[in-house]
Amino acid sequence: MPEDVTMDGEETVLTLIVKDIYSKGSNQRYTITLSADDLAMILDSADIAEVLKAAE
């Protein structure tokens, strides 16, 4: 969801909320911070058509 992705200067922050695999009814929240270099490395190593398809 768009609100789960924020831009902070040169960083992109992804927030994920997932079901806990050990406790029923519980969730875990993960925050992943990617620098511009991290994103470039991911995009350089990926097939850009697949990346764009996944973003739809």
Side-chain angles (χ1 to χ4, degrees), residues 5-24:
V5 178
T6 58
M7 304 293 282
D8 182 19
E10 297 232 352
E11 296 180 334
T12 300
V13 180
L14 307 173
T15 301
L16 306 169
I17 298 175
V18 298
K19 293 184 184 234
D20 190 312
I21 61 173
Y22 300 107
S23 302
K24 284 191 170 197

Side-chain angles (χ1 to χ4, degrees), residues 10-49:
E10 297 232 352
E11 296 180 334
T12 300
V13 180
L14 307 173
T15 301
L16 306 169
I17 298 175
V18 298
K19 293 184 184 234
D20 190 312
I21 61 173
Y22 300 107
S23 302
K24 284 191 170 197
S26 294
N27 293 323
Q28 296 293 321
R29 181 186 187 119
Y30 297 94
T31 301
I32 302 168
T33 303
L34 300 169
S35 68
D37 289 340
D38 294 332
L39 289 173
M41 182 174 23
I42 291 168
L43 293 175
D44 284 346
S45 65
D47 179 355
I48 194 64

